[in-house]
């Protein structure tokens, strides 16, 4: 294939937001970049990392794997060209198996330093799984790694990574760090109306689930909190903060910290109260949060049930 044809093909692919790219995408056009373990020049690991095509849940032709190590990280890295500094959703693809690691550390090189998210690779295989939304610097660098440093058992797997710009309301995020709570906490009923209480220690970061505009709340019921009017028109309520991280009226991106959890207002212990309203109607947030945890597109806020999530 001639060079000119290759360039034209890349431009067309980027403009259509093609998620599998073989070369760095043009910074002006790329919104999503996918790097597989077999993408030339984009994946690196020591000799301790092997390659397998055993699982049919793999992304592409094969995937890398290694035994866990409790003494050293020895990460395999995905080199990704980040077109501009900003918020990005980071997702990973891996085949799942009962013999794979139940506590695989994924390392994200954020602007504030490396952050680690632990993933159970025995479940949710053969699909994109969201690690969350992170602040990434512009440049071409090792942005996401898979570490061997885990006390979990079974092979650590490194298959594919997808990074998507979350600027301009295209991203979504859990309201808390993924490592803060297990999945089972996100389907608990609320005590008396559609909402959810998420038990986390005081000082846990609370994040915007989507882009929008914030209004601070400070009353005897909610305590210090936030009403986030999302780009979808829904209002996402956060209560019982110990501190705010954003100014009243600020515009925020998905994954941006809104405050720190606490025990202010009408609260019997440290937790985050989270609720969703559409046109003044309270909605059950559990299905929305479970979808975010699983890394799949959540249901529209207007489609969430108005009952069945309280006792």
């Amino acid at each position: 294939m001639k060079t000119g044809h290759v360039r034209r093909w890349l431009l067309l692919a980027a403009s259509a937001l093609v998620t599998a790219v073989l070369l760095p995408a043009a910074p002006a056009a790329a919104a999503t970049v996918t790097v597989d373990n077999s993408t030339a020049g984009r994946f690196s690991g020591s000799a301790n990392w092997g390659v397998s095509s055993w699982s049919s849940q793999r992304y592409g032709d094969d995937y890398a794997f290694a035994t866990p190590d409790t003494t050293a990280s020895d990460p395999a890295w995905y080199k990704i060209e980040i077109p501009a500094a900003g918020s990005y959703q980071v997702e990973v693809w891996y085949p799942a198996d009962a013999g794979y690691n139940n506590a695989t550390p994924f390392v994200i090189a954020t602007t504030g330093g490396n952050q680690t998210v632990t993933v159970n690779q025995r479940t949710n295989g053969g699909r994109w799984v969201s690690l969350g939304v992170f602040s990434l610097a512009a440049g071409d660098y090792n942005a996401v790694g898979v570490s061997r440093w885990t006390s979990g058992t079974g092979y650590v797997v490194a298959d594919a990574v997808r990074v998507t710009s979350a600027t301009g309301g295209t991203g979504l995020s859990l309201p808390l760090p993924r490592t803060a709570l297990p999945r089972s906490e996100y389907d608990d009923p609320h005590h008396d109306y559609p909402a959810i209480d998420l038990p986390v220690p005081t000082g846990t970061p609370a994040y915007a689930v989507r882009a929008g505009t914030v209004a601070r709340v400070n009353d005897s019921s909610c305590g210090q909190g936030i009403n986030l009017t999302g780009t979808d028109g829904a209002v996402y309520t956060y209560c019982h903060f110990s501190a705010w991280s954003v100014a009243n009226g600020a515009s925020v991106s998905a994954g941006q910290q809104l405050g720190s959890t606490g025990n202010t207002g009408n609260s019997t212990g440290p937790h985050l109260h989270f609720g969703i309203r559409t046109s003044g109607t309270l909605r059950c947030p559990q299905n929305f949060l479970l979808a975010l945890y699983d890394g799949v597109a959540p249901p529209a806020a207007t489609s969430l049930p108005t009952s069945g999530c309280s006792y």
Side-chain angles (χ1 to χ4, degrees), residues 43-278:
F43 180 83
S44 60
S46 73
N48 293 315
W49 288 85
V51 176
S52 175
S53 58
W54 175 78
S55 176
S56 61
Q57 292 183 345
R58 65 186 181 273
Y59 185 97
D61 294 332
D62 53 36
Y63 52 96
F65 70 96
T67 55
D69 188 340
T70 58
T71 62
S73 181
D74 188 25
W77 283 102
Y78 296 86
K79 187 177 183 182
I80 302 172
E81 185 170 12
I82 306 300
S87 297
Y88 289 83
Q89 179 171 237
V90 177
E91 300 166 283
V92 295
W93 184 295
Y94 55 87
D97 186 81
Y100 293 162
N101 204 277
N102 61 336
T104 297
F106 283 86
V107 183
I108 303 94
T110 76
T111 54
N114 287 351
Q115 293 187 29
T116 300
V117 176
T118 301
V119 174
N120 181 358
Q121 293 190 310
R122 297 176 184 176
T123 63
N124 293 324
R127 56 189 285 185
W128 289 112
V129 174
S130 175
L131 301 184
V133 176
F134 304 89
S135 177
L136 302 182
D140 194 14
Y141 56 93
N142 289 335
V144 181
V146 187
S147 172
R148 297 175 57 215
W149 199 339
T150 174
S151 58
T153 57
Y155 287 124
V156 172
V157 174
D159 196 348
V161 167
R162 184 167 72 178
V163 175
T164 303
S165 172
T167 302
T170 60
L172 294 163
S173 172
L174 278 169
L176 296 166
R178 184 180 174 84
T179 54
L181 290 171
R183 186 182 188 277
S184 58
E185 292 289 347
Y186 287 101
D187 63 2
D188 285 351
H190 190 245
H191 53 84
D192 57 358
Y193 58 88
I196 192 169
D197 289 334
L198 301 169
V200 287
T202 295
T204 303
Y207 303 129
V209 293
R210 68 188 324 135
T213 304
V214 301
R216 285 186 177 184
V217 178
N218 193 3
D219 59 36
S220 60
S221 178
C222 185
Q224 295 183 43
I226 288 287
N227 279 327
L228 167 65
T229 301
T231 51
D232 61 342
V235 177
Y236 300 86
T237 298
Y238 301 70
C239 289
H240 312 309
F241 282 0
S242 59
W244 290 291
S245 299
V246 290
N248 191 50
S251 296
V252 297
S253 300
Q256 184 171 337
Q257 185 170 350
L258 301 178
S260 299
T261 62
N263 191 31
T264 60
N266 185 12
S267 173
T268 58
H271 71 283
L272 174 67
H273 172 96
F274 181 81
I276 300 176
R277 283 181 288 134
T278 61

